[in-house]
């Protein structure tokens, strides 16, 4: 059986905000560009911020690190609160949509949904599923797939062909119960990055983004967008 494959999304606030609107989310929170990692540029991001999506290149260096990180956590353990909503990624190129789902699902107390929101229905129906079951559920969830497809064509650059190999990947960073988590559907579990708060979340999340950049100093293909109050 052919693996499920979607078109990749751009890390572009216009695209992601339109996507959220089509999924039935009211615009009280909107994605904005993070233009840089220094304090002056971070001060341009409207506060509060409840999630960061980071787009980064999947390089050999990163894959080596990912394996080491996974083995270390399996050996040493980590705290992951049961309230963290996490799902695996089984659909090629769906990481942008899964990043959005992770961002919204872990901030449901802040987000206002339309009555007929397809994303709210997906979250309600999948709340008691495990991460693998949620991934399978998304594979057959037409309302989100169709919205993803139209959003993938919205970007400023021409959408690549569905079969083209894409080596860029999205992750979400969120604060759940005072802990900063990295949520990546390619990993077996959320990654606990230590304490955070609503006030310090943006700076804390950017520190995690900087580590991604430091691991690959020759790479320039990093892009962060913040879900902030509109």
């Amino acid at each position: 059986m052919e693996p499920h494959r979607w078109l990749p999304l751009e890390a572009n606030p216009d695209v992601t905000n339109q996507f959220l609107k089509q999924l039935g989310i009211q615009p009280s929170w909107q994605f904005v560009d993070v233009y840089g990692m220094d304090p002056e540029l971070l001060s341009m991001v409207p506060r509060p911020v409840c999630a960061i999506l980071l787009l980064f290149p999947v390089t050999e260096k990163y894959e080596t690190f990912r394996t080491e990180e996974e083995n270390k956590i399996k050996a040493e353990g980590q705290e992951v609160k049961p309230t963290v909503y996490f799902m695996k990624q089984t659909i090629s190129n769906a990481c942008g949509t899964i990043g959005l789902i992770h961002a919204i699902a872990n901030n449901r107390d802040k987000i206002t949904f339309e009555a007929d929101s397809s994303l709210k229905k997906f979250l309600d129906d999948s709340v008691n599923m495990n991460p693998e079951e949620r991934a399978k559920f998304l594979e057959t969830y037409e309302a989100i797939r169709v919205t993803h497809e139209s959003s993938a064509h919205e970007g400023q650059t021409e959408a690549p062909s569905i079969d083209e190999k894409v080596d860029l990947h999205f992750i979400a960073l969120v604060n759940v119960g005072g802990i900063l988590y990295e949520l990546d559907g390619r990993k077996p579990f959320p990654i606990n990055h230590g304490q955070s708060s609503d006030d310090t979340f943006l700076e804390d999340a950017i520190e995690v983004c900087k580590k991604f950049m430091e691991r690959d100093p020759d790479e320039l293909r990093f892009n962060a967008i913040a879900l902030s109050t509109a």
Side-chain angles (χ1 to χ4, degrees), residues 60-217:
E60 220 170 288
K61 282 180 186 167
Y62 175 72
E63 291 294 65
T64 303
F65 167 78
R66 183 167 75 104
T67 307
E68 288 166 359
E69 176 188 59
E70 187 181 316
N71 292 339
K72 184 169 185 271
I73 290 171
K74 281 178 176 168
E76 297 175 6
Q78 65 169 355
E79 182 199 359
V80 175
K81 292 181 186 291
T83 46
V84 176
Y85 182 103
F86 177 65
M87 66 184 289
K88 299 282 293 194
Q89 179 184 342
T90 51
I91 305 166
S92 293
N93 299 337
C95 54
T97 293
I98 288 169
L100 284 176
I101 292 172
H102 279 145
I104 300 299
N106 289 290
N107 285 292
R108 285 193 69 165
D109 54 330
K110 302 179 178 77
I111 305 290
T112 313
F113 295 91
E114 303 289 351
D116 59 350
S117 164
S118 55
L119 182 52
K120 180 179 187 297
K121 185 171 183 339
F122 177 86
L123 296 178
D124 287 345
D125 291 349
S126 65
V127 71
N128 293 319
M129 294 180 185
N130 67 32
E132 288 74 21
E133 289 165 343
R134 289 168 181 163
K136 282 274 170 245
F137 189 45
L138 183 63
E139 286 179 11
T140 57
Y141 206 84
E142 278 299 285
I144 293 180
R145 185 190 67 76
V146 170
T147 309
H148 173 106
E149 204 77 345
S150 68
S151 298
H153 289 289
E154 286 286 311
Q156 292 165 349
T157 52
E158 194 183 332
S161 98
I162 204 156
D163 296 317
E164 205 173 302
K165 181 147 173 38
V166 176
D167 62 352
L168 295 171
H169 186 61
F170 275 100
I171 57 160
L173 297 165
V174 295
N175 165 24
V176 179
I179 302 283
L180 174 61
Y181 292 99
E182 170 193 335
L183 304 174
D184 177 350
R186 288 178 74 227
K187 294 187 175 178
F189 32 65
I191 307 294
N192 178 330
H193 282 289
Q195 289 186 316
S196 188
S197 69
D198 288 347
D199 292 340
T200 64
F201 171 72
L202 177 59
E203 282 73 17
D204 297 337
I206 291 302
E207 285 306 312
V208 174
C209 295
K210 283 180 184 171
K211 286 179 189 159
F212 277 76
M213 297 168 81
E214 285 160 8
R215 278 194 292 271
D216 254 314

